[in-house]
Amino acid sequence: IKDNTVIYTDTDSLVCQRPLPDEFIGKKLGQFRECYQFDEFYVINPKVYTLKVKDITICKNAGLNTNIKIKDFVDIILGE
């Protein structure tokens, strides 16, 4: 997407540095559903990421049997 950095992508999701233009948002085939405008976003592997939206933290950790928190993501990324 021109002038917008893609940070993460998966089968049905896209995380960009800035909001998508209106023509990319909608319910038509090929359009995206806008979910979040985040304050922080950390990704370790596909389907293992966390994002912070205002006071809410959302962690996705497919395949892990643990309750991982945003601090855990930061520690892993920093090698701590």
Side-chain angles (χ1 to χ4, degrees):
I1 297 171
K2 188 177 179 176
D3 298 325
N4 199 349
T5 302
V6 175
I7 299 169
Y8 174 81
T9 186
D10 201 352
T11 305
D12 60 354
S13 59
L14 181 69
V15 177
C16 298
Q17 190 173 23
R18 291 185 298 280
L20 292 172
D22 290 340
E23 64 264 21
F24 290 103
I25 307 294
K27 295 184 178 185
K28 294 180 182 174
L29 184 63
Q31 289 183 316
F32 293 96
R33 176 178 59 119
E34 188 171 32
C35 295
Y36 311 108
Q37 289 188 18
F38 57 88
D39 299 312
E40 294 178 58
F41 180 78
Y42 303 96
V43 63
I44 297 172
N45 283 320
K47 301 184 189 311
V48 182
Y49 60 88
T50 186
L51 57 98
K52 187 172 183 180
V53 182
K54 295 183 183 178
D55 293 333
I56 300 168
T57 299
I58 300 164
C59 292
K60 300 292 181 181
N61 55 353
L64 299 176
N65 294 327
T66 184
N67 187 10
I68 192 166
K69 298 186 181 354
I70 197 165
K71 182 187 178 316
D72 300 324
F73 277 85
V74 174
D75 289 348
I76 290 168
I77 291 167
L78 296 176
E80 296 178 5

